[in-house]
Amino acid sequence: AQKVTQAQTEISVVEKEDVTLDCVYETRDTTYYLFWYKQPPSGELVFLIRRNSFDEQNEISGRYSWNFQKSTSSFNFTITASQVVDSAVYFCALSEAGANSKLTFGKGITLSVRP
Amino acid sequence: NAGVTQTPKFQVLKTGQSMTLQCAQDMNHEYMSWYRQDPGMGLRLIHYSVGAGITDQGEVPNGYNVSRSTTEDFPLRLLSAAPSQTSVYFCASSPQGISNQPQHFGDGTRLSIL
């Protein structure tokens, strides 16, 4: 069975600080996909990134970066120079390969960025 | 392009009432799913469908029914609402399966059962 653990429940930082959101996953498959979604206070779910299990390259998109390490089953998300607009709930999710695969979410991390 | 449309956005029911949450997508996506979001629990999969005429259970299916008669629509039915079903419900779709495709989410339905 697949599982996603986001041990941090709430994080509060001051604007311009860097912050890392942790995600640890469990799966028996060798082919799987990892995702991060953002849920701002308005409530919608916004897709941020997808990573497959064969691509361990780190990814950077502006102030966002992701560190995928299969050795530790982690897919961590770092926001550099955080801004108030980054305040949201962030979900890490996992799906295994296959047409009937399901997406399993972690419980989410509430990030508050104070001005 | 509307994407994934959920109706209603808000609903209050009394215990024992039935209702249908509607979900429609205009992207010709094969895969559709329903999640519920509860505080501290993340999103949990209720039911999903890999195509018209095919549905399957997710993690928390009890108390909910679904059907998929068309590619576009995937309604979620509560046959006899219970207070434990108070939640925010999200419908999502993706082109083919969800293993390597990000899901497109609707804006959610906030449901309260009294």
Side-chain angles (χ1 to χ4, degrees):
Chain A
Q2 56 193 53
K3 182 179 179 181
V4 175
T5 301
Q6 296 181 264
Q8 305 152 310
T9 55
E10 295 184 11
I11 300 174
S12 181
V13 299
V14 177
E15 206 169 19
K16 298 184 182 178
E17 285 186 19
D18 299 346
V19 58
T20 295
L21 310 181
D22 298 333
C23 174
V24 174
Y25 61 92
E26 295 176 28
T27 177
R28 296 177 182 175
D29 276 15
T30 55
T31 303
Y32 52 89
Y33 301 86
L34 294 161
F35 303 80
W36 275 94
Y37 285 86
K38 174 183 179 180
Q39 186 176 43
S42 50
E44 72 273 21
L45 285 153
V46 179
F47 165 75
L48 294 178
I49 191 171
R50 178 188 75 242
R51 175 67 69 210
N52 73 57
S53 55
F54 298 108
D55 182 1
E56 288 194 70
Q57 284 189 346
N58 292 334
E59 175 137 352
I60 299 174
S61 176
R63 297 183 296 107
Y64 295 173
S65 62
W66 290 269
N67 183 286
F68 176 32
Q69 292 195 337
K70 289 178 71 172
S71 61
T72 56
S73 297
S74 65
F75 187 43
N76 297 337
F77 174 29
T78 296
I79 301 174
T80 302
S82 60
Q83 299 177 2
V84 172
V85 294
D86 296 326
S87 296
V89 181
Y90 291 87
F91 293 99
C92 181
L94 163 72
S95 73
E96 294 164 346
N100 286 349
S101 58
K102 306 170 188 178
L103 191 62
T104 298
F105 284 83
K107 294 184 178 181
I109 301 170
T110 300
L111 174 64
S112 298
V113 182
R114 308 187 306 277
Chain B
N1 191 351
V4 179
T5 302
Q6 290 184 236
T7 55
K9 295 191 184 302
F10 302 94
Q11 184 71 49
V12 179
L13 293 178
K14 294 181 180 179
T15 297
Q17 287 185 316
S18 63
M19 83 158 294
T20 299
L21 307 185
Q22 301 291 345
C23 176
Q25 52 91 8
D26 61 359
M27 298 172 283
N28 201 32
H29 286 174
E30 292 293 326
Y31 188 100
M32 296 186 74
S33 53
W34 277 102
Y35 297 86
R36 59 177 290 174
Q37 182 179 13
D38 302 294
M41 298 298 292
L43 280 81
R44 293 180 292 170
L45 181 65
I46 305 172
H47 286 285
Y48 66 101
S49 168
V50 299
I54 306 170
T55 63
D56 205 347
Q57 296 181 351
E59 181 184 354
V60 288
N62 293 341
Y64 307 95
N65 281 351
V66 291
S67 60
R68 184 91 180 273
S69 56
T70 67
T71 299
E72 294 78 21
D73 300 300
F74 191 42
L76 178 71
R77 298 183 184 84
L78 284 72
L79 299 180
S80 179
S84 61
Q85 294 178 304
T86 293
S87 187
V88 180
Y89 292 84
F90 287 96
C91 179
S93 73
S94 61
Q96 289 178 342
I98 53 91
S99 59
N100 67 342
Q101 300 282 345
Q103 293 199 73
H104 299 254
F105 283 87
D107 290 338
T109 294
R110 188 173 296 274
L111 181 63
S112 295
I113 315 295
L114 303 177

